[in-house]
Every structure is written in structure tokens, then in C-alpha cells.
């Protein structure tokens, strides 16, 4: 990602991009959702424990309760992708 | 946290920048992610996660109001998968 537009040098740009993602991580870590208008929302979901299986051995093991991050793209981003990309499915 | 909270935080962390520049930086980052996805690309941010596209095959839908069948064409939808560090940091705070 290039950063000439803001007038930052390479090092400052790298620092800014890192800070950007770190701030989002910090919020999520603290249990707060992050809403970026025009892009999408990062939300947290608490999942209860559920039964699982080791696919290799077939052994049944419980999957512990956990908190996971989900991303919901904004209508704007969904429309952008739908309108401009009609490629073949990617592997 | 909203987009403007994020801009305020980044401006705080980078006192050498004008608030306006922090706003522009956020816009440039999000625009870069959006346009890469729109071109069918994938973006991976180490320790955070990856943004890509998922394929949705064409299907027959229904207009919920009239009950009419409508063809819904195939499309791609943006998808995010959290990276290892993000997954771990979000989960350990839980306990």
C-alpha cells in the first residue's frame, strides 16, 4: 500500500499502518466492536463449548468456549465488489 | 470504536501529524483494502488477519413480498479471517 498521498515517508507510513491495525486489535481485545463506516464492522461473538472431533483420528473432543472476531462488510464495500469483480472462483 | 474514534486515536499517537492527515491516512488504508478486494485480490496483514473474497453461486431466490421467484446471479462477497495473534488476543481476555 502506497502512502505518497499523505506525505509520509516509507518508515512513517509503515508505522501508521501498523498503528491502524494495532488500534483495532486493542479495541477487540478489550471486548469492543469496531465500526468503520464505508468499510465494515468487526464484531465479537462468544461461542459456547461444543462437541468436536479430531478429523485424523475420529476421536471426540470438546471444542472449548471461545470468543471470535467476525467481520461484516458494509453495503458500500459489498456493492463495490459485486459490481467490479466477476472473475472465476479462486482456489 | 467508530471510524472517527480511530482517527482521533491515531492523531494522538502521531503528534507530528495534523488531525486531517490522520483522517486521510485512515481513508487511504481503507480505500486500498476496498480497491484490492474489488479487483479480486486478497490482502494479508500479519498478526491481524486476511481479507479475501468468497464465491456465492447463482441461486433461485424469492421476493419475500410477492413470493415471486427471482434469479440471483453468482457473486463474490468480502470475507475476513482473523490471524493467529488477533484470535489469541481476543480469546485470552475472555477469562
Amino acid at each position: 500500500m502506497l502512502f505518497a498521498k499523505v506525505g509520509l515517508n516509507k518508515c512513517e507510513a509503515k508505522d501508521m499502518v501498523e498503528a491502524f491495525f494495532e488500534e483495532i486489535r486493542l479495541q477487540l481485545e478489550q471486548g469492543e466492536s469496531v465500526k468503520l463506516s464505508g468499510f465494515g464492522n468487526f464484531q465479537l461473538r462468544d461461542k459456547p463449548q461444543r462437541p468436536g472431533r479430531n478429523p485424523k483420528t475420529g476421536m471426540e473432543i470438546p471444542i472449548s468456549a471461545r470468543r471470535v472476531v467476525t467481520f461484516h462488510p458494509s453495503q458500500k464495500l459489498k456493492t463495490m465488489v459485486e459490481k467490479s469483480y466477476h472473475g472465476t472462483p479462486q482456489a | 470504536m467508530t471510524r472517527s474514534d480511530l482517527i482521533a486515536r491515531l492523531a494522538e499517537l502521531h503528534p507530528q501529524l495534523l488531525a486531517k492527515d490522520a483522517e486521510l491516512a485512515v481513508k487511504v488504508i481503507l480505500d486500498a483494502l476496498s480497491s484490492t478486494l474489488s479487483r479480486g485480490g486478497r490482502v494479508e496483514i500479519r498478526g491481524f488477519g486476511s481479507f479475501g473474497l468468497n464465491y456465492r453461486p447463482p441461486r433461485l431466490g424469492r421476493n419475500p413480498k410477492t413470493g415471486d421467484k427471482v434469479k440471483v446471479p453468482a457473486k463474490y462477497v468480502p470475507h475476513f479471517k482473523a490471524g493467529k495473534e488477533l484470535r489469541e488476543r481476543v480469546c485470552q481476555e475472555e477469562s
Side-chain angles (χ1 to χ4, degrees), chain B residues 31-47:
Chain B
D31 285 352
L33 291 172
S34 301
S35 73
T36 303
L37 290 172
S38 303
R39 276 181 275 118
R42 184 172 175 278
V43 185
E44 184 178 328
I45 316 278
R46 272 291 136 87

Side-chain angles (χ1 to χ4, degrees), chain A residues 1-3 5-6 8 12 15-17 19-30 32-39 42 44 46 65-71 73 77-78 80-82 84-90, chain B residues 1-3 6 9-10 13-14 16-17 21-22 24-26 28-35 37-41 43 45-48 51 53 55 74-80 82 85-87 89-94:
Chain A
M1 289 184 223
L2 296 174
F3 241 87
K5 290 180 208 170
V6 195
L8 296 175
E12 291 169 324
D15 184 50
M16 175 58 84
V17 172
F20 173 91
F21 290 108
E22 177 59 15
E23 282 308 312
I24 298 177
R25 272 195 302 249
L26 276 170
Q27 287 298 314
L28 294 168
E29 192 177 4
Q30 285 160 23
E32 294 289 327
S33 62
V34 177
K35 298 179 180 188
L36 301 175
S37 66
F39 185 72
F42 293 92
L44 295 162
D46 287 310
R66 62 192 61 197
R67 177 173 282 183
V68 297
V69 178
T70 57
F71 174 68
L77 178 57
K78 284 196 278 190
M80 256 177 89
V81 166
E82 233 173 278
S84 53
Y85 189 63
H86 310 281
T88 45
Q90 287 169 322
Chain B
M1 181 171 75
T2 62
R3 184 174 178 141
L6 177 59
R9 272 294 290 156
L10 291 174
L13 288 172
H14 299 82
Q16 77 281 15
L17 286 187
D21 291 332
L24 185 56
V26 168
V28 170
I29 296 170
L30 293 179
D31 285 352
L33 291 172
S34 301
S35 73
L37 290 172
S38 303
R39 276 181 275 118
V43 185
I45 316 278
R46 272 291 136 87
F48 185 78
F51 295 91
L53 299 181
Y55 179 66
K75 63 179 177 182
Y76 284 87
V77 293
H79 174 76
F80 172 72
E85 185 193 338
L86 179 58
R87 275 203 311 269
R89 282 174 63 177
V90 158
C91 210
Q92 71 183 22
E93 280 298 301
E94 169 72 340

